[in-house]
């Protein structure tokens, strides 16, 4: 199978910076880039230099999809933020937003993967996660939206998410957050950001999960 | 006293496996010999010439997991398949087996090398100096089982190489009959390769770069992944543990299958070994009270079927595995080279361990004289902005 041109170009871009990563090879349903990711990253003045054995998987049938990442050196334990596909870099909708800011392999590595690894290295060094973490499963989704919207109440969060799923936002209604302001002067801007950045079916899936806490539903938004 | 890091221990284990490898010259000699047998069996004067015959290796020679025998008087075992295009309604198992045997007996040299007829194979016992024997397995395609295998979720790419083989202990051996024993060495080999594909391709690139050659020019037998290395270590340890109890020695196919299942493409030998050792028993499943090591190309086949016949075998496997795990743990706790040497000798034998320790000492000395050269990294710093918090699915 031939490597798509854009993937070849994107690989050429990353290999200049991360020469430990080998060219994509075809393994079953994925293009797989693997090797040593040797990086230096800095956050709030603290610089960490580290390296991880990683794999980046790009689905062949949908190469524009966000890649999956795995750590294969045996350093990050399975109970540290993993999904069935690999490392769980963040809340699914947020990962898509983040990725779309710079939707290339290099962008993925720099904006999504390295911060995750930095967080882990930081914990190894200093004993805690500098970026914090979300709980697993539905609880973590709720925590994410609580933080994003700045409100605690589950029902109100569901009402806000519900607005994103339905047709279009009416800025004139009262904001469901309870502020008594009009939506457009309150959470409207945030909701517009969600609607434009995150596929509707993902918001819908998360809405359903938070709504019924349905644990038997296998959540695979990506 | 030389203090040891985990890297050093990984290096020592790698050194051991290199000592366990078959030498290049022996490998090439073996390859030439089986190809020569293939030519004789398939050549113009052969009755098989018109039956699209093929000959190919199977077993540890094919997987790259061969381990040097414990003593100089023991043989390497080279397993090959001889497959011809016939169907089960055209020939009996006996006729196929005998016609291969007859063709071998027609050869001036092979007739003298031929051993007593085996249950499924013909064996050529080469001279002592050659140090190996060759098991030749007569076979015909087994395509009639493909639909059944597919229905059991065996991938088509693996199922399609199934073959039918003979077994002279079966009651239908001399009759035209569709119930032949099955095997699938090509499928198994493809499965095994797939389990380590990432590291295999990585190493192929590394070797090609070192040799300044193209990927295609790297002989596959020179590529050894951590999985292959781990299997060599496990098999060697087993050979030593069961040197006096051959009848309950765990089979290589069981060790290979469990280890390949447990391998997660770790790049580092020691990490791979620790993780494989931990996880390999998880792939012995319990099917209605029977301990089962499933053949990945045919879930109906239990590689551990002999554990039923001999109740000592399963405990023997478990004890050996536990022993290996404990000794690896001890090795990891070794602080200096002398301590490690003792453990390595216990696990993998005196000769190979002493050689490796000597080499380690001399390279260590050299290294100290040269001094450490720092590697300066040129990549730019990633400034992290607005980082995400990691999340996780609930894994059920």
């Amino acid at each position: 199978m031939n490597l798509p041109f854009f993937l070849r170009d994107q690989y050429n871009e990353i290999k200049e910076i991360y020469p430990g990563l080998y060219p994509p090879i075809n393994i079953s349903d994925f293009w797989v880039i693997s090797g040593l990711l040797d990086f230096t990253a800095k956050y709030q003045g603290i610089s960490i230099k580290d390296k991880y054995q990683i794999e980046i998987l790009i689905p062949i049938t949908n190469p524009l999809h966000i890649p999956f990442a795995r750590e294969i050196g045996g350093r990050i334990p399975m109970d540290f933020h993993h999904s069935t596909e690999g490392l769980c870099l963040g809340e699914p909708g947020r990962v898509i937003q983040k990725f779309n800011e710079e939707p290339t392999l290099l962008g993925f590595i720099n904006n999504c993967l390295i911060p995750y690894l930095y967080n882990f290295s930081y914990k190894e060094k200093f004993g805690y996660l500098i970026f914090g973490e979300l709980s697993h499963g539905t609880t973590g989704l709720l925590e994410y939206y609580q933080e994003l919207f700045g409100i605690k109440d589950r029902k109100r969060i569901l009402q806000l998410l519900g607005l994103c799923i339905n047709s279009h936002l009416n800025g004139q209604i009262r904001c469901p957050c309870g502020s008594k302001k009009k939506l457009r002067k309150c959470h409207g801007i945030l909701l517009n950001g969600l609607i434009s950045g995150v596929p509707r079916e993902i918001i819908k899936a998360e809405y359903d999960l938070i709504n019924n806490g349905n644990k038997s539903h296998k959540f695979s938004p990506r | 006293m030389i203090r040891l890091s985990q890297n050093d221990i990984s290096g020592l284990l790698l050194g051991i496996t290199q000592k366990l490898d078959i030498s290049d010259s022996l490998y090439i000699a073996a390859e030439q010999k089986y190809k020569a047998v293939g030519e004789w069996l398939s050549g113009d004067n052969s009755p098989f010439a018109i039956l699209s015959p093929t000959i190919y290796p199977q077993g540890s020679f094919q997987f790259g997991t061969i381990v040097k025998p414990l003593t100089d008087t023991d043989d390497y075992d080279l397993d090959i398949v001889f497959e011809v295009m016939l169907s089960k309604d055209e020939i009996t198992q006996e006729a196929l087996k005998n016609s291969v045997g007859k063709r071998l007996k027609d050869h001036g040299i092979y007739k003298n090398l031929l051993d007593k007829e085996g249950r499924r194979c013909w064996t050529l016992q080469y001279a002592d100096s050659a140090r190996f024997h060759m098991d030749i397995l007569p076979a015909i395609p087994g395509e009639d089982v493909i639909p059944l295998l597919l229905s059991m979720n065996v991938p088509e790419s693996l199922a399609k190489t199934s073959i039918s083989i003979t077994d002279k202990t079966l009651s239908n051996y001399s009759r035209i009959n569709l119930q032949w024993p099955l095997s699938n060495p090509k499928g198994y080999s493809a499965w095994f390769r797939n389990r380590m594909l990432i590291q295999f391709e990585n190493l192929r690139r590394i070797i090609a770069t070192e040799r300044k050659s193209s990927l295609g020019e790297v002989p596959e037998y020179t590529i050894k992944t951590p999985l292959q290395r781990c299997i060599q270590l496990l098999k060697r340890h087993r050979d030593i543990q069961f040197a006096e109890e051959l009848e309950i020695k765990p089979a290589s196919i069981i060790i290979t299958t469990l280890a390949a299942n447990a391998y997660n493409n770790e790049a580092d030998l020691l990490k791979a070994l620790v993780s494989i050792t931990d996880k390999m028993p998880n792939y012995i499943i319990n099917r209605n009270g029977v301990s089962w090591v499933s053949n990945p190309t045919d879930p109906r086949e239990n590689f551990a079927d002999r554990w039923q016949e001999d109740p000592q075998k399963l405990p023997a496997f478990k004890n050996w595995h536990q022993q290996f795990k404990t000794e690896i743990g001890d090795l990891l706790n070794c602080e200096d080279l002398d301590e490690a040497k003792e453990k390595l000798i216990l696990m993998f034998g005196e000769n190979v361990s002493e050689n490796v320790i000597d080499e380690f000492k001399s390279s260590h000395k050299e290294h100290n004289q040269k001094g450490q050269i720092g590697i300066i990294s040129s990549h730019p710093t990633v400034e992290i902005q607005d980082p995400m918090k990691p999340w996780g699915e609930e894994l059920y």
Side-chain angles (χ1 to χ4, degrees):
Chain A
M1 192 177 309
N2 289 327
L3 189 62
F5 286 120
F6 75 92
L7 202 54
R8 192 196 60 198
D9 294 345
Q10 290 191 14
Y11 170 74
N12 287 337
E13 184 182 37
I14 60 172
K15 115 184 140 184
E16 295 300 317
I17 302 168
Y18 304 111
L21 299 179
Y22 292 111
I25 55 171
N26 170 211
I27 296 177
S28 61
D29 300 334
F30 295 97
W31 290 107
V32 179
I33 294 173
S34 70
L36 195 66
L37 180 67
D38 188 347
F39 65 87
T40 308
K42 199 169 170 183
Y43 182 70
Q44 296 180 342
I46 294 179
S47 188
I48 291 182
K49 179 170 161 38
D50 209 337
K51 45 193 164 194
Y52 287 83
Q53 284 286 343
I54 57 140
E55 265 170 41
I56 297 171
L57 294 88
I58 300 118
I60 285 178
T61 48
N62 186 6
L64 299 178
H65 195 284
I66 299 181
F68 304 114
R70 292 182 185 152
E71 192 267 335
I72 53 173
R75 191 161 149 200
I76 303 181
M78 276 311 288
D79 57 5
F80 183 84
H81 301 291
H82 274 78
S83 73
T84 39
E85 280 94 5
L87 305 176
C88 228
L89 303 170
E91 184 275 329
R94 177 83 187 101
V95 177
I96 293 176
Q97 276 182 315
K98 193 84 187 165
F99 177 69
N100 285 334
E101 289 168 16
E102 199 186 337
T104 63
L105 280 173
L106 185 61
F108 174 75
I109 292 175
N110 284 348
N111 303 331
C112 304
L113 181 56
I114 287 182
Y116 176 99
L117 298 173
Y118 178 99
N119 205 13
F120 187 80
S121 297
Y122 192 98
K123 184 174 184 226
E124 282 188 336
K125 258 188 158 74
F126 304 110
Y128 69 100
L129 290 165
I130 175 86
F131 307 149
E133 62 190 316
L134 297 168
S135 303
H136 284 210
T138 312
T139 319
L141 295 178
L142 186 60
E143 287 167 11
Y144 170 75
Y145 285 111
Q146 284 172 334
E147 192 177 326
L148 183 71
F149 295 143
I151 55 174
K152 286 271 172 223
D153 187 80
R154 183 170 146 272
K155 273 209 179 109
R156 292 186 196 277
I157 286 172
L158 282 171
Q159 283 171 0
L160 284 165
L161 285 177
L163 293 175
C164 300
I165 304 169
N166 298 325
S167 50
H168 92 271
L169 280 188
N170 177 359
Q172 302 306 322
I173 62 166
R174 290 238 178 277
C175 188
C177 77
S179 65
K180 300 197 172 138
K181 288 189 221 165
K182 285 188 177 174
L183 183 65
R184 65 186 171 84
K185 293 200 167 175
C186 192
H187 281 87
I189 303 160
L190 264 174
L191 294 189
N192 265 324
L194 274 182
I195 291 169
S196 60
V198 181
R200 207 162 278 219
E201 63 272 18
I202 288 190
I203 303 180
K204 173 79 168 70
E206 297 189 342
Y207 175 93
D208 290 343
L209 277 172
I210 297 173
N211 189 29
N212 49 29
N214 186 355
K215 288 197 175 178
S216 63
H217 174 85
K218 184 81 191 75
F219 185 62
S220 185
R222 298 193 299 163
Chain B
M1 192 174 82
I2 301 173
R3 297 193 71 81
L4 291 178
S5 67
Q6 302 243 317
N7 264 342
D8 292 334
I9 292 173
S10 204
L12 287 170
L13 289 171
L14 181 66
I16 301 261
T17 63
Q18 286 164 343
K19 302 279 174 229
L20 296 176
D21 280 343
I22 183 172
S23 71
D24 280 4
S25 56
L26 205 52
Y27 182 93
I28 290 162
E31 201 174 29
Q32 278 168 354
K33 287 211 162 65
Y34 96 70
K35 284 185 175 160
V37 170
E39 273 165 34
W40 173 248
L41 289 175
S42 335
D44 286 346
N45 303 323
S46 157
F48 303 111
I50 52 164
L51 300 172
S52 317
T54 50
I55 195 156
Y56 49 89
Q58 60 160 332
S60 59
F61 190 80
Q62 166 70 11
F63 311 148
T65 55
I66 271 194
V67 169
K68 183 178 278 182
L70 275 187
T71 69
D72 289 346
T73 53
D74 291 332
D75 272 357
Y76 287 100
D77 177 10
L78 171 53
D79 297 321
I80 62 169
V81 179
F82 179 64
E83 184 179 347
V84 292
M85 287 294 162
L86 281 171
S87 66
K88 286 175 238 178
D89 47 20
E90 292 174 296
I91 193 167
T92 64
Q93 296 176 41
E94 185 177 29
L96 176 67
K97 179 82 171 297
N98 286 348
S99 53
V100 173
K102 174 161 190 321
R103 179 67 182 166
L104 290 169
K105 284 170 199 156
D106 285 347
H107 188 280
I109 298 172
Y110 297 153
K111 79 170 173 219
N112 297 320
L113 301 181
L114 209 53
D115 213 356
K116 198 171 81 176
E117 182 180 351
R119 183 171 156 192
R120 300 186 174 107
C121 303
W122 291 104
T123 301
L124 294 178
Q125 188 66 55
Y126 286 83
D128 289 348
S129 57
R131 297 203 56 203
F132 65 87
H133 64 267
M134 189 186 300
D135 286 337
I136 302 161
L137 181 72
I140 62 175
E143 59 225 341
D144 48 319
V145 297
I146 297 176
L148 179 65
L149 293 175
L150 295 181
S151 76
M152 292 184 298
N153 294 325
V154 175
E156 190 180 357
S157 56
L158 300 186
K160 70 181 184 202
T161 53
S162 289
I163 55 172
S164 303
I165 59 175
T166 71
D167 180 343
K168 69 173 188 172
T169 65
L170 294 180
S171 59
N172 65 6
Y173 182 63
S174 312
R175 293 202 309 267
I176 291 278
N177 184 292
L178 300 183
Q179 302 295 318
W180 289 38
L182 281 175
S183 185
N184 189 352
K186 277 187 181 166
Y188 185 92
S189 173
W191 171 81
F192 182 76
R193 166 70 65 85
N194 216 32
R195 294 294 312 148
M196 58 179 193
L197 194 57
I198 292 171
Q199 288 307 325
F200 190 85
E201 293 301 334
N202 280 348
L203 290 167
R204 192 207 290 269
R205 285 191 205 99
I206 292 168
I207 296 172
T209 314
E210 275 171 5
R211 296 184 174 187
K212 299 191 170 60
S213 65
S214 74
L215 295 180
E217 285 165 345
V218 179
E220 296 204 345
Y221 78 91
T222 59
I223 305 171
K224 286 291 173 74
T225 67
L227 172 61
Q228 290 162 307
R229 296 291 184 204
C230 288
I231 292 171
Q232 287 180 300
L233 291 170
L234 288 160
K235 283 169 68 177
R236 175 61 166 206
H237 187 267
R238 170 208 59 181
D239 289 345
I240 290 181
Q241 291 288 303
F242 292 93
E244 308 292 331
E245 296 174 295
L246 293 176
E247 60 298 340
I248 54 166
K249 179 166 129 171
S252 292
I253 190 71
I254 293 180
I255 296 177
T256 305
T257 305
L258 295 177
N261 268 314
Y263 183 52
N264 211 3
N265 276 290
E266 289 89 354
D268 177 72
L269 177 59
L270 186 59
K271 278 182 183 150
L273 189 62
V274 170
S275 136
I276 285 174
T277 311
D278 263 358
K279 288 190 295 184
M280 58 191 277
N282 302 347
Y283 297 91
I284 305 172
I285 49 177
N286 183 322
R287 274 200 198 166
N288 305 322
V290 175
S291 293
W292 196 285
V293 177
S294 206
N295 175 349
T297 64
D298 185 349
R300 294 169 305 166
E301 184 181 359
N302 180 10
F303 284 144
D305 54 357
R306 296 203 181 148
W307 290 357
Q308 293 317 112
E309 297 158 19
D310 183 347
Q312 286 187 65
K313 285 195 165 182
L314 176 60
F317 176 88
K318 285 184 172 164
N319 291 340
W320 162 71
H321 172 263
Q322 191 52 47
Q323 179 84 13
F324 186 84
K325 201 169 157 173
T326 311
E327 288 177 5
I328 285 291
D330 291 348
L331 184 65
L332 284 172
N333 287 328
C334 284
E335 294 201 333
D336 67 67
L337 199 58
D338 294 332
E339 219 183 308
K341 181 176 167 181
E342 235 172 80
K343 299 274 186 263
L344 289 174
I345 288 174
L346 191 72
M347 297 182 77
F348 305 113
E350 201 161 349
N351 279 345
V352 291
S353 305
E354 281 178 350
N355 283 342
V356 168
I357 295 278
D358 290 346
E359 284 169 17
F360 182 85
K361 277 182 185 157
S362 55
S363 75
H364 202 268
K365 215 185 233 167
E366 222 170 82
H367 194 75
N368 278 352
Q369 283 160 357
K370 279 191 204 152
Q372 283 276 17
I373 301 163
I375 296 160
I376 297 156
S377 156
S378 60
H379 53 74
T381 299
V382 176
E383 297 279 350
I384 299 177
Q385 280 159 9
D386 189 16
M388 298 182 279
K389 288 182 179 177
W391 173 72
E393 276 175 51
E394 305 234 38
L395 301 172
Y396 302 104

